[in-house]
Amino acid sequence: MSGGTDIYHEMIVDYSRNPINYGEIENHDVTFHDSNPLCGDSIDIDMKIDDNKVTDIKFHGKGCAICMACTSVLTDIAKGKSLDDVRKIEKHDVLGELGLDHLQAVRIKCALLSLKVLKSALYTYIGSNLDDATDVDTLKTEAENLY
Ligand SMILES: [Zn+2]
């Protein structure tokens, strides 16, 4: 095992013990829940959205180390970004951050559950808040086809 892999492993263990952006947002503008029954991961993401920008994002729930680490990283990437930029977040943005690009297929759901929840939350928000929600179905398809 290379030194690089050890560093990533430490990061994952660290995030799982001390997840960032963990908690609830009382007056959230949108919230979404999904789970990965195969592993037992279960995540809720709350977002506060102002002026088409994610001004606050928090998650709660439980998950394995990979799930908790990826959700921490993802929520940190999304925080402060415009909805357009959040839409552009891809698998690699999260996986690459933790050295998980070559994750085994069985664990990929653990890693990408949070991205699925985030895209679904965004879909829910845009669908119910924007008059021009014509391209919102692409977002739904994206969320459904993540893994
Ligand atoms: Zn898991």
Side-chain angles (χ1 to χ4, degrees):
M1 198 181 270
S2 76
T5 309
D6 289 345
I7 289 169
Y8 284 131
H9 180 72
E10 268 176 39
M11 281 171 70
I12 290 169
V13 171
D14 217 48
Y15 275 130
S16 71
R17 286 188 186 142
N18 303 297
I20 50 173
N21 300 317
Y22 192 88
E24 293 180 44
I25 301 173
E26 291 283 327
N27 55 342
H28 57 252
D29 291 300
V30 66
T31 183
F32 202 88
H33 166 87
D34 205 349
S35 62
N36 167 23
L38 284 177
C39 177
D41 306 318
S42 173
I43 293 292
D44 288 86
I45 292 182
D46 297 348
M47 283 193 283
K48 188 90 193 119
I49 296 170
D50 281 309
D51 210 10
N52 284 323
K53 225 171 143 179
V54 178
T55 52
D56 201 9
I57 179 167
K58 286 195 192 301
F59 78 98
H60 52 105
K62 58 186 170 62
C64 61
I66 288 180
C67 176
M68 296 305 265
C70 286
T71 311
S72 290
V73 166
L74 175 68
T75 50
D76 211 41
I77 294 173
K79 201 174 198 167
K81 280 205 163 54
S82 70
L83 297 188
D84 271 351
D85 284 343
V86 171
R87 285 188 64 165
K88 287 178 198 146
I89 298 174
E90 291 177 14
K91 296 179 195 185
H92 172 75
D93 298 326
V94 178
L95 300 179
E97 197 72 29
L98 293 165
L100 295 174
D101 276 314
H102 303 290
L103 202 62
Q104 309 150 314
V106 287
R107 304 308 302 277
I108 204 79
K109 291 187 181 181
C110 301
L112 295 179
L113 173 66
S114 54
L115 187 55
K116 191 179 181 188
V117 173
L118 180 71
K119 283 186 187 287
S120 302
L122 211 54
Y123 167 73
T124 308
Y125 179 82
I126 294 173
S128 60
N129 286 275
L130 296 187
D131 296 333
D132 181 20
T134 41
D135 62 349
V136 113
D137 285 338
T138 4
L139 198 57
K140 194 182 183 195
T141 314
E142 266 174 50
E144 282 166 355
N145 295 329
L146 258 185
Y147 51 76

